[in-house]
Amino acid sequence: MYQAGQASIVHAVASPYRERSHFDGQDVLESGLTRPGAVDTGWLNRALGALAPAGQVRGQGGRQAFAVGPVTPLVARGPAPVLSWTPPRLPPATDDTVMRLIDLYNHTDPALARALEERVGLAAIARAGGIDMAPGKSEPPKPQATPGQVPPAPVPGAQVRAFFAESAGAAAKFMARGDGPRVGALAYDGWDTHAAEGAGGGRLFALLGALDNALAAIESGMGAGWKDTAVAVITEFGRTARINGTEGTDHGTATVALLLGGAVKGGRVIADWPGLSETNLYERRDLKPTTDLRAVLKGLLRDHLRVDERTLADNVFPGSAAVKAAGGLVAST
């Protein structure tokens, strides 16, 4: 997509959030406000409510948003109608989710908690031996820990890749319909890669491959509508600029955003690059934010969906009048 001029990379970006809590960072990212817990609506839904019923963007889907997943993400919640869809294939539970369930069931159903613990133990033994416990699946051997090292987290396998691609492709096909919704939101978790990230075969490598498959599925699923499509890939914060002792990275600040689609003016890296020397790092550990993510999102909403700047500053991203919309992100029409 980049080579075709349909993808841009925006670097050293961040939301207004400057702490390192995933929950609070995600709330700020999706609400569009500067602090967590301030509202129960999302910036995408509020932007959709500001659009004319039809005519300003492709399709005749009215003021509809589309959300993929068991729970509608905050970014899509609000007064504008939201269509929700849960893929038939659910993502595998993360290690963190399993441990939370075990803790919960230890208080309510000890027998089930013991069964879960046994399953986790068997899975760890299987991974150490290069065995995939999923029926009918075969994965390459997992990296093993040497004495004194923290065992690496399991690398996402075929189930994750299939979930990413199938959910994204199905969502795109639905949006490509003439009466389909105008905007959609998909959330993919599992990116908290503190250990065994791996440039050529670890957890982050596998997740980025799954994301690449999902983006390709969106392009394919949109069909002729791809030329009028803009996709923003964003996250709540980045990772540290240094690798930790377990071959991973910890919670950081600035990160990268990806803009893709036939409507995007692509083939560019857009950045006010701060550098990675220690004196240039934020708090001497993170990539320093030099671009406000709200400026990027404002630019897309203004130039692609035709949301006016006053609405963007007052309602979509309240209190953001000083953050000017980035220009030139969308191809000329």
Side-chain angles (χ1 to χ4, degrees):
M1 295 178 191
Y2 183 91
Q3 293 293 340
Q6 296 183 348
S8 288
I9 300 164
V10 188
H11 220 326
V13 299
S15 77
Y17 184 69
R18 291 295 178 271
E19 304 301 326
R20 296 183 176 87
S21 162
H22 282 300
F23 303 102
D24 290 347
Q26 194 72 23
D27 189 284
V28 170
L29 177 75
E30 297 192 42
S31 71
L33 273 68
T34 58
R35 58 186 178 86
V39 293
D40 57 2
T41 63
W43 59 263
L44 187 61
N45 190 287
R46 297 194 298 271
L48 186 60
L51 298 180
Q56 293 192 16
V57 293
R58 183 197 59 78
Q60 302 296 319
R63 299 183 181 183
Q64 292 181 341
F66 184 47
V68 176
V71 178
T72 301
L74 175 61
V75 69
R77 296 180 207 163
V82 178
L83 304 174
S84 296
W85 173 70
T86 300
R89 181 198 299 268
L90 294 177
T94 64
D95 288 352
D96 180 66
T97 298
V98 173
M99 296 312 296
R100 288 172 184 268
L101 285 173
I102 290 174
D103 182 64
L104 172 67
Y105 289 128
N106 271 326
H107 293 85
T108 59
D109 192 336
L112 181 54
R114 286 194 299 273
L116 280 174
E117 287 176 333
E118 290 173 1
R119 177 62 171 77
V120 171
L122 287 172
I125 294 171
R127 286 197 298 270
I131 302 169
D132 187 358
M133 295 183 65
K137 298 293 182 181
S138 177
E139 291 288 331
K142 309 299 188 291
Q144 300 181 32
T146 56
Q149 288 184 327
V150 175
V155 176
Q159 287 178 303
V160 173
R161 293 193 294 272
F163 172 75
F164 275 35
E166 290 174 9
S167 58
K173 290 177 181 178
F174 185 64
M175 294 186 67
R177 292 168 43 178
D179 58 349
R182 293 186 175 190
V183 299
L186 296 88
Y188 294 128
D189 62 8
W191 301 85
D192 197 12
T193 51
H194 288 273
E197 283 179 341
R203 184 173 182 82
L204 186 58
F205 172 87
L207 282 166
L208 289 171
L211 177 62
D212 187 57
N213 290 343
L215 296 173
I218 293 174
E219 179 185 17
S220 176
M222 288 300 303
W226 177 251
K227 64 181 177 61
D228 301 313
T229 299
V231 179
V233 182
I234 57 177
T235 187
E236 76 274 28
F237 49 65
R239 313 297 295 184
T240 52
R242 297 184 188 88
I243 299 173
N244 62 27
T246 60
E247 301 299 322
T249 50
D250 300 316
H251 297 179
T253 307
T255 183
V256 64
L258 306 178
L259 307 179
L260 314 103
V264 171
K265 184 179 180 181
R268 300 179 297 156
V269 176
I270 305 167
D272 177 10
W273 185 245
L276 292 175
S277 65
E278 184 171 353
T279 56
N280 289 332
L281 295 178
Y282 177 74
E283 296 185 347
R284 294 183 176 269
R285 55 169 277 165
D286 305 337
L287 178 65
K288 183 184 297 183
T290 56
T291 298
D292 194 316
L293 182 59
R294 293 172 297 175
V296 178
L297 297 174
K298 278 185 172 185
L300 282 181
L301 293 170
R302 181 192 66 186
D303 297 339
H304 184 55
L305 294 183
R306 303 295 189 262
V307 182
D308 69 81
E309 294 200 47
R310 174 64 66 86
T311 300
L312 289 170
D314 294 344
N315 185 38
V316 179
F317 298 100
S320 68
V323 181
K324 303 303 180 185
L329 303 178
V330 176
S332 299
T333 58

